[in-house]
């Protein structure tokens, strides 16, 4: 779905706040200028190689950073032409939140992809600000929700998120809870029966405020009557990811902190009783 906001000019601050790297900005400029005569895949490949100074590659992969924000539609005829038709429609009534150049510079300051570790020098990585939780899921254009990703990792994340866009309304409700434990529990429940990768859970835990020990908040769920499964998978290159899956829920107590403390005290007392019984001849 497309909304009716005017498209940004290729040299505008709005576009610079959305896209990173000369390739994406140059490719947007090509599509913007040729809206009345959209280019073919061959023309886009030629442009990337001879104008933008980039190696020709799969067109859909090159367009992925643009498609995170704009509707780029390929025709069914042969050869296919690529139309820049407008902004993507933002669901849940979310307000468009372009990041300003100062925030963009702050996010990119580490000069390292937060996921794979590649750098502009010497790896040639093209970094861009990426949302940890997309706006359509309730994420915000804040420093806490942004991190630097190379274009390959950013594209992979977008594809991962798109698998769950049909649950966007439910996910936004889960992410909106004030307590990080409630965010984690309700998010796992919404995603059930799917396994959820740890980096996405970390982002959900920190959706309102940064959690320096989100794993502890996840473990707290078991003190509240919730449960989940855990497994490690070595499926993305050489990296091992932790995955979690919802098992059961329980009503949320009025005072979460007090409920966790009471359960911790109960377990501590039970361990002491078991130790005493074991020592009793």
């Amino acid at each position: 779905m497309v909304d009716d906001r005017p498209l940004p000019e290729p040299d505008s601050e709005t576009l610079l706040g959305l896209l990173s790297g000369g390739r994406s900005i140059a490719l947007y400029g090509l599509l913007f200028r040729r809206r009345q005569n959209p280019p073919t895949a061959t023309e886009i490949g030629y442009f990337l190689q001879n104008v933008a100074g980039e190696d020709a590659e799969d067109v859909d992969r090159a367009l992925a950073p643009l498609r995170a924000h704009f509707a780029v539609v390929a025709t069914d005829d042969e050869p296919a032409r690529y139309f820049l038709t407008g902004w993507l429609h933002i669901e849940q009534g979310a307000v468009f939140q372009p990041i300003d150049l100062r925030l963009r510079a702050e996010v990119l300051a580490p000069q390292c992809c937060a996921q794979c570790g590649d750098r502009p020098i010497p790896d040639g990585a093209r970094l861009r600000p990426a949302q940890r939780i997309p706006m359509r899921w309730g994420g915000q254009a804040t420093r806490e929700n942004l991190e630097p990703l190379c274009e390959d990792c950013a594209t992979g994340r977008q594809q991962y998120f798109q698998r769950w866009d049909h649950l966007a309304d439910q996910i936004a409700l889960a992410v909106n809870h004030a307590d990080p434990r409630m965010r984690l529990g309700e998010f796992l429940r919404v995603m059930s029966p799917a396994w959820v990768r740890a980096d996405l859970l970390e982002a959900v835990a920190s959706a309102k405020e940064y959690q320096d020990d989100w794993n502890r908040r996840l473990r707290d769920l078991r003190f509240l009557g919730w449960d989940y499964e855990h497994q490690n998978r070595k499926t993305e290159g050489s990296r091992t990811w932790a995955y979690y899956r919802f098992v059961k829920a329980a009503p949320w107590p009025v005072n979460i902190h007090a409920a966790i403390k009471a359960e911790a005290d109960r377990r501590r007392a039970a361990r002491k009783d078991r130790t005493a019984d074991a020592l009793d001849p």
Side-chain angles (χ1 to χ4, degrees):
M1 188 181 298
V2 181
D3 72 21
D4 57 1
R5 284 175 289 132
L7 286 166
E9 295 290 329
D11 59 351
S12 67
E13 182 173 317
T14 296
L15 189 67
L16 292 175
L18 294 172
L19 303 177
S20 176
R23 175 180 62 177
S24 296
I25 293 172
L27 185 51
Y28 175 89
L30 171 69
L31 296 176
F32 183 88
R33 291 188 298 272
R34 293 193 53 179
R35 284 171 292 169
Q36 303 304 316
N37 180 29
T40 65
T42 300
E43 289 173 316
I44 290 175
Y46 177 87
F47 175 84
L48 290 172
Q49 189 169 15
N50 296 282
V51 179
E54 304 285 346
D55 291 336
E57 60 175 282
D58 180 74
V59 170
D60 286 324
R61 182 177 178 182
L63 289 171
L66 278 68
R67 284 174 164 159
H69 309 284
F70 306 103
V72 181
V73 180
T75 62
D76 292 330
D77 52 347
E78 191 64 37
R81 293 184 176 274
Y82 290 80
F83 286 78
L84 175 64
T85 59
W87 289 94
L88 283 183
H89 180 75
I90 304 298
E91 303 293 344
Q92 287 80 247
V95 178
F96 172 64
Q97 297 174 302
I99 64 174
D100 60 38
L101 294 181
R102 179 177 178 179
L103 178 56
R104 180 177 182 274
E106 183 180 347
V107 172
L108 298 180
Q111 288 295 288
C112 176
C113 176
Q115 188 160 301
C116 71
D118 281 359
R119 297 176 175 273
I121 301 173
D123 304 308
R126 303 180 184 88
L127 301 178
R128 65 186 178 102
Q131 294 174 354
R132 304 177 75 201
I133 301 176
M135 281 190 293
R136 60 188 179 277
W137 292 9
Q140 303 293 317
T142 61
R143 180 64 187 88
E144 292 74 20
N145 193 43
L146 295 168
E147 62 182 353
L149 290 185
C150 68
E151 290 191 347
D152 284 345
C153 288
T155 298
R157 177 175 293 181
Q158 290 166 12
Q159 293 171 348
Y160 180 67
F161 285 159
Q162 287 169 359
R163 294 171 54 194
W164 313 112
D165 276 350
H166 63 289
L167 298 174
D169 289 334
Q170 299 96 307
I171 293 172
L173 288 174
V175 170
N176 197 44
H177 284 289
D179 189 279
R181 302 161 192 86
M182 295 180 71
R183 290 197 291 272
L184 288 167
E186 295 298 342
F187 184 74
L188 282 170
R189 174 154 56 180
V190 167
M191 301 293 278
S192 178
W195 289 89
V196 182
R197 209 168 69 183
D199 57 337
L200 186 50
L201 283 178
E202 181 182 7
V204 169
S206 299
K208 298 293 184 182
E209 66 286 321
Y210 178 70
Q211 302 293 318
D212 57 359
D213 191 1
W214 70 271
N215 282 285
R216 180 179 178 181
R217 304 292 174 256
L218 187 64
R219 293 193 297 271
D220 285 345
L221 291 176
R222 287 177 168 158
F223 287 76
L224 297 169
W226 290 63
D227 200 9
Y228 54 86
E229 297 178 284
H230 165 255
Q231 65 176 221
N232 292 324
R233 299 182 190 172
K234 195 171 184 178
T235 55
E236 289 92 353
S238 60
R239 180 166 182 172
T240 298
W241 287 98
Y243 284 80
Y244 299 85
R245 184 166 66 178
F246 171 83
V247 172
K248 71 172 183 176
W252 294 109
V254 175
N255 189 323
I256 289 179
H257 292 281
I260 293 172
K261 184 178 184 304
E263 176 62 14
D265 291 343
R266 186 195 68 77
R267 295 185 183 189
R268 193 177 300 112
R271 284 196 299 270
K272 288 182 178 179
D273 290 342
R274 288 195 298 271
T275 301
D277 290 343
L279 296 174
D280 191 11

